Amino acid sequence: MNKKLIWKRLLIGCAWVICLGGLVVLMGFIETKKADVVCKAVNVSIPGGQYFIDKQEVDHIIEAEGRSLIGRKIKNIDIQALEDRLKANPFIEFAKVYAEMDGVLQVEVSQRQPILRIMNHYDMDFYVDQHGLKIPLSQNFTARVLVANGFIEELFTNRVDSLHTRLAKDLFKTADYIRKDSLWDAQIAQMYVNANREIELIPRVGNQRILIGNADSLGKKLNNLQAFYKQVLPRVGWDTYRIINVKYTNQVIGIKNENIKADSAKTAGAATTGSDKMKKDTSQIKL
């Protein structure tokens, strides 16, 4: 190896050592400056349109010790403790706190999104969020979400918790399906659990109840219901049936108002999107 190459490598190595040393000095300088920075403002960000928690409540949480953060040195503020206090609030899903070099303390809060309100058999009332977690009601805000009541035995201990009963999980699954479908989101007003622990949907239009039983094959059941709406109700009238039973995936059963007579409308293989078509046409549906 010639001397020229050796010197070149030595120079490169020295340059790296100098750069690393400079970086260490710079980081130390930044930390020293940061240690002397005083908090001059607190900026709270709460995105979203549903306000279970507002800026005033966030301010109250992060200043729970009774001392204002403004005027204190950043190094004397326990940022992790602030985040932990925020995350302990049942309406907060995510919280991040960090300080900027200019002394502004940034507080970012993400709220939980409720999709279902449950009123159980024991007069307990609570929300279920988009992740299937139970959360309490809020004094600040009432969410306009699907409501389920009736013979529901899911308990609530006034803290964030997962769903425990199969029925409650089916209610959540059904509510989640409905909210993601524009047709059913506009059509379904409420869910009710009857004495047999079966789920009934209460529509906005018509006086009938839609018996789905559980959340199994939910897409198939509601496709069958849509076919029934399109092919049967326009001919017989929307108030002909008091119950439309779609809990069996291969048929729709209408129970009439007048004589409580059950008629079966076969809709095997019902599908309403893409290239799929009904295997049985309107003329083959018996009422």
Side-chain angles (χ1 to χ4, degrees):
M1 185 180 295
N2 58 45
K3 293 183 178 180
K4 190 174 182 180
L5 184 58
I6 293 173
W7 278 107
K8 184 177 180 181
R9 291 187 174 180
L10 285 174
L11 288 172
I12 292 174
C14 288
W16 273 107
V17 171
I18 292 171
C19 289
L20 289 173
L23 182 61
V24 171
V25 172
L26 179 62
M27 292 299 293
F29 175 76
I30 292 174
E31 288 300 318
T32 300
K33 292 291 290 182
K34 188 175 180 180
D36 293 329
V37 172
V38 173
C39 178
K40 67 179 185 181
V42 178
N43 183 34
V44 177
S45 175
I46 311 175
Q50 294 184 339
Y51 289 96
F52 283 112
I53 186 168
D54 56 20
K55 182 180 182 300
Q56 184 177 0
E57 189 168 353
V58 171
D59 289 339
H60 178 73
I61 293 172
I62 62 180
E63 296 183 2
E65 298 175 354
R67 296 177 57 194
S68 175
L69 297 174
I70 298 175
R72 295 170 59 184
K73 287 187 176 182
I74 295 296
K75 69 176 182 180
N76 295 329
I77 297 175
D78 191 339
I79 289 180
Q80 185 60 53
L82 295 180
E83 287 189 356
D84 291 342
R85 286 210 296 268
L86 288 168
K87 292 175 182 177
N89 185 284
F91 303 115
I92 295 177
E93 180 178 358
F94 171 81
K96 183 178 181 180
V97 181
Y98 60 94
E100 295 184 338
M101 287 300 297
D102 60 358
V104 176
L105 196 68
Q106 299 288 351
V107 181
E108 298 177 2
V109 170
S110 176
Q111 302 176 83
R112 297 189 184 277
Q113 180 185 351
I115 66 168
L116 173 66
R117 181 172 178 173
I118 291 180
M119 301 176 181
N120 72 10
H121 195 48
Y122 309 103
D123 295 325
M124 295 177 177
D125 199 349
F126 54 92
Y127 289 117
V128 181
D129 76 356
Q130 76 272 32
H131 304 299
L133 296 175
K134 294 178 286 189
I135 59 176
L137 303 186
S138 169
Q139 296 181 349
N140 298 329
F141 181 78
T142 300
R144 298 181 63 181
V145 296
L146 203 61
V147 175
N149 63 352
F151 294 85
I152 304 171
E153 297 179 350
E154 180 76 24
L155 299 177
F156 182 57
T157 57
N158 207 34
R159 64 181 179 85
V160 177
D161 193 11
S162 58
L163 297 170
H164 298 290
T165 63
R166 167 67 188 274
L167 176 58
K169 293 176 182 178
D170 278 355
L171 287 170
F172 164 72
K173 184 177 178 181
T174 304
D176 193 43
Y177 185 97
I178 289 172
R179 78 181 179 101
K180 292 176 179 177
D181 187 295
S182 58
L183 171 66
W184 299 118
D185 188 44
Q187 172 67 1
I188 303 303
Q190 185 181 340
M191 292 191 291
Y192 177 76
V193 176
N194 61 31
N196 295 323
R197 275 50 178 187
E198 294 180 317
I199 300 173
E200 297 178 0
L201 306 180
I202 301 176
R204 300 183 192 277
V205 178
N207 297 319
Q208 68 279 145
R209 296 194 175 199
I210 302 159
L211 178 62
I212 65 169
N214 55 39
D216 293 346
S217 304
L218 194 57
K220 177 64 180 251
K221 292 175 181 178
L222 292 181
N223 282 344
N224 288 348
L225 176 62
Q226 186 174 9
F228 191 81
Y229 274 175
K230 289 181 177 180
Q231 298 182 23
V232 179
L233 293 187
R235 292 194 291 111
V236 301
W238 284 82
D239 294 327
T240 300
Y241 300 102
R242 68 179 182 88
I243 295 176
I244 302 175
N245 183 346
V246 296
K247 71 178 183 177
Y248 306 110
T249 57
N250 65 339
Q251 63 181 345
V252 178
I253 301 172
I255 300 177
K256 289 184 176 180
N257 274 317
E258 294 82 7
N259 52 15
I260 318 299
K261 177 182 177 182
D263 295 315
S264 178
K266 302 292 184 179
T267 56
T272 59
T273 60
S275 60
D276 297 328
K277 295 182 179 179
M278 293 284 295
K279 290 184 178 179
K280 291 184 178 288
D281 61 23
T282 308
S283 63
Q284 292 175 297
I285 295 177
K286 299 179 181 180
L287 293 174

PDB file of all heavy atoms in Angstrom, residues 24-37:
ATOM      1  N   VAL A  24     -21.078  15.937  19.050  1.00  0.00           N
ATOM      2  CA  VAL A  24     -21.248  15.761  20.498  1.00  0.00           C
ATOM      3  C   VAL A  24     -21.278  17.104  21.201  1.00  0.00           C
ATOM      4  O   VAL A  24     -22.110  17.360  22.078  1.00  0.00           O
ATOM      5  CB  VAL A  24     -20.122  14.877  21.055  1.00  0.00           C
ATOM      6  CG1 VAL A  24     -20.149  14.876  22.586  1.00  0.00           C
ATOM      7  CG2 VAL A  24     -20.245  13.451  20.533  1.00  0.00           C
ATOM      8  N   VAL A  25     -20.363  18.000  20.790  1.00  0.00           N
ATOM      9  CA  VAL A  25     -20.319  19.338  21.396  1.00  0.00           C
ATOM     10  C   VAL A  25     -21.611  20.095  21.104  1.00  0.00           C
ATOM     11  O   VAL A  25     -22.180  20.746  21.978  1.00  0.00           O
ATOM     12  CB  VAL A  25     -19.102  20.121  20.861  1.00  0.00           C
ATOM     13  CG1 VAL A  25     -19.166  21.578  21.329  1.00  0.00           C
ATOM     14  CG2 VAL A  25     -17.810  19.474  21.340  1.00  0.00           C
ATOM     15  N   LEU A  26     -22.087  19.981  19.841  1.00  0.00           N
ATOM     16  CA  LEU A  26     -23.315  20.675  19.459  1.00  0.00           C
ATOM     17  C   LEU A  26     -24.516  20.164  20.246  1.00  0.00           C
ATOM     18  O   LEU A  26     -25.346  20.950  20.717  1.00  0.00           O
ATOM     19  CB  LEU A  26     -23.557  20.496  17.957  1.00  0.00           C
ATOM     20  CG  LEU A  26     -24.828  21.146  17.393  1.00  0.00           C
ATOM     21  CD1 LEU A  26     -24.767  22.663  17.594  1.00  0.00           C
ATOM     22  CD2 LEU A  26     -24.992  20.810  15.920  1.00  0.00           C
ATOM     23  N   MET A  27     -24.605  18.826  20.390  1.00  0.00           N
ATOM     24  CA  MET A  27     -25.715  18.251  21.146  1.00  0.00           C
ATOM     25  C   MET A  27     -25.662  18.691  22.602  1.00  0.00           C
ATOM     26  O   MET A  27     -26.684  18.985  23.218  1.00  0.00           O
ATOM     27  CB  MET A  27     -25.675  16.724  21.059  1.00  0.00           C
ATOM     28  CG  MET A  27     -25.973  16.166  19.672  1.00  0.00           C
ATOM     29  SD  MET A  27     -27.624  16.607  19.077  1.00  0.00           S
ATOM     30  CE  MET A  27     -28.620  15.692  20.229  1.00  0.00           C
ATOM     31  N   GLY A  28     -24.438  18.733  23.145  1.00  0.00           N
ATOM     32  CA  GLY A  28     -24.293  19.197  24.513  1.00  0.00           C
ATOM     33  C   GLY A  28     -24.708  20.647  24.666  1.00  0.00           C
ATOM     34  O   GLY A  28     -25.360  21.030  25.642  1.00  0.00           O
ATOM     35  N   PHE A  29     -24.369  21.466  23.662  1.00  0.00           N
ATOM     36  CA  PHE A  29     -24.751  22.885  23.680  1.00  0.00           C
ATOM     37  C   PHE A  29     -26.272  23.030  23.624  1.00  0.00           C
ATOM     38  O   PHE A  29     -26.852  23.844  24.344  1.00  0.00           O
ATOM     39  CB  PHE A  29     -24.104  23.598  22.488  1.00  0.00           C
ATOM     40  CG  PHE A  29     -24.520  25.037  22.348  1.00  0.00           C
ATOM     41  CD1 PHE A  29     -24.009  26.015  23.194  1.00  0.00           C
ATOM     42  CD2 PHE A  29     -25.440  25.402  21.371  1.00  0.00           C
ATOM     43  CE1 PHE A  29     -24.407  27.340  23.067  1.00  0.00           C
ATOM     44  CE2 PHE A  29     -25.841  26.723  21.252  1.00  0.00           C
ATOM     45  CZ  PHE A  29     -25.322  27.690  22.095  1.00  0.00           C
ATOM     46  N   ILE A  30     -26.886  22.212  22.744  1.00  0.00           N
ATOM     47  CA  ILE A  30     -28.345  22.268  22.616  1.00  0.00           C
ATOM     48  C   ILE A  30     -29.022  21.869  23.915  1.00  0.00           C
ATOM     49  O   ILE A  30     -29.980  22.508  24.362  1.00  0.00           O
ATOM     50  CB  ILE A  30     -28.817  21.361  21.458  1.00  0.00           C
ATOM     51  CG1 ILE A  30     -28.355  21.944  20.119  1.00  0.00           C
ATOM     52  CG2 ILE A  30     -30.327  21.185  21.472  1.00  0.00           C
ATOM     53  CD1 ILE A  30     -28.639  21.052  18.934  1.00  0.00           C
ATOM     54  N   GLU A  31     -28.517  20.794  24.527  1.00  0.00           N
ATOM     55  CA  GLU A  31     -29.116  20.345  25.789  1.00  0.00           C
ATOM     56  C   GLU A  31     -28.949  21.397  26.878  1.00  0.00           C
ATOM     57  O   GLU A  31     -29.842  21.603  27.705  1.00  0.00           O
ATOM     58  CB  GLU A  31     -28.473  19.022  26.231  1.00  0.00           C
ATOM     59  CG  GLU A  31     -28.878  17.822  25.389  1.00  0.00           C
ATOM     60  CD  GLU A  31     -30.379  17.593  25.432  1.00  0.00           C
ATOM     61  OE1 GLU A  31     -30.964  17.705  26.521  1.00  0.00           O
ATOM     62  OE2 GLU A  31     -30.968  17.321  24.364  1.00  0.00           O
ATOM     63  N   THR A  32     -27.766  22.068  26.866  1.00  0.00           N
ATOM     64  CA  THR A  32     -27.533  23.112  27.864  1.00  0.00           C
ATOM     65  C   THR A  32     -28.496  24.268  27.670  1.00  0.00           C
ATOM     66  O   THR A  32     -29.091  24.785  28.623  1.00  0.00           O
ATOM     67  CB  THR A  32     -26.082  23.621  27.769  1.00  0.00           C
ATOM     68  OG1 THR A  32     -25.187  22.529  28.000  1.00  0.00           O
ATOM     69  CG2 THR A  32     -25.821  24.703  28.802  1.00  0.00           C
ATOM     70  N   LYS A  33     -28.670  24.663  26.402  1.00  0.00           N
ATOM     71  CA  LYS A  33     -29.605  25.745  26.110  1.00  0.00           C
ATOM     72  C   LYS A  33     -31.042  25.343  26.437  1.00  0.00           C
ATOM     73  O   LYS A  33     -31.814  26.139  26.974  1.00  0.00           O
ATOM     74  CB  LYS A  33     -29.501  26.128  24.623  1.00  0.00           C
ATOM     75  CG  LYS A  33     -28.187  26.776  24.236  1.00  0.00           C
ATOM     76  CD  LYS A  33     -28.046  28.163  24.854  1.00  0.00           C
ATOM     77  CE  LYS A  33     -29.013  29.154  24.228  1.00  0.00           C
ATOM     78  NZ  LYS A  33     -28.856  30.506  24.790  1.00  0.00           N
ATOM     79  N   LYS A  34     -31.359  24.063  26.111  1.00  0.00           N
ATOM     80  CA  LYS A  34     -32.717  23.579  26.366  1.00  0.00           C
ATOM     81  C   LYS A  34     -33.022  23.555  27.854  1.00  0.00           C
ATOM     82  O   LYS A  34     -34.141  23.816  28.282  1.00  0.00           O
ATOM     83  CB  LYS A  34     -32.874  22.183  25.763  1.00  0.00           C
ATOM     84  CG  LYS A  34     -34.291  21.657  25.791  1.00  0.00           C
ATOM     85  CD  LYS A  34     -34.384  20.323  25.072  1.00  0.00           C
ATOM     86  CE  LYS A  34     -35.806  19.789  25.096  1.00  0.00           C
ATOM     87  NZ  LYS A  34     -35.912  18.487  24.403  1.00  0.00           N
ATOM     88  N   ALA A  35     -31.987  23.234  28.659  1.00  0.00           N
ATOM     89  CA  ALA A  35     -32.180  23.178  30.103  1.00  0.00           C
ATOM     90  C   ALA A  35     -32.527  24.538  30.678  1.00  0.00           C
ATOM     91  O   ALA A  35     -33.174  24.642  31.719  1.00  0.00           O
ATOM     92  CB  ALA A  35     -30.924  22.619  30.772  1.00  0.00           C
ATOM     93  N   ASP A  36     -32.100  25.579  30.014  1.00  0.00           N
ATOM     94  CA  ASP A  36     -32.356  26.931  30.510  1.00  0.00           C
ATOM     95  C   ASP A  36     -33.628  27.539  29.922  1.00  0.00           C
ATOM     96  O   ASP A  36     -34.026  28.639  30.309  1.00  0.00           O
ATOM     97  CB  ASP A  36     -31.168  27.838  30.167  1.00  0.00           C
ATOM     98  CG  ASP A  36     -29.898  27.426  30.929  1.00  0.00           C
ATOM     99  OD1 ASP A  36     -30.050  26.909  32.049  1.00  0.00           O
ATOM    100  OD2 ASP A  36     -28.796  27.602  30.391  1.00  0.00           O
ATOM    101  N   VAL A  37     -34.254  26.823  28.962  1.00  0.00           N
ATOM    102  CA  VAL A  37     -35.451  27.355  28.322  1.00  0.00           C
ATOM    103  C   VAL A  37     -36.624  27.340  29.310  1.00  0.00           C
ATOM    104  O   VAL A  37     -36.850  26.366  30.016  1.00  0.00           O
ATOM    105  CB  VAL A  37     -35.822  26.541  27.063  1.00  0.00           C
ATOM    106  CG1 VAL A  37     -37.172  26.977  26.510  1.00  0.00           C
ATOM    107  CG2 VAL A  37     -34.750  26.717  25.999  1.00  0.00           C
TER     108      VAL A  37
END
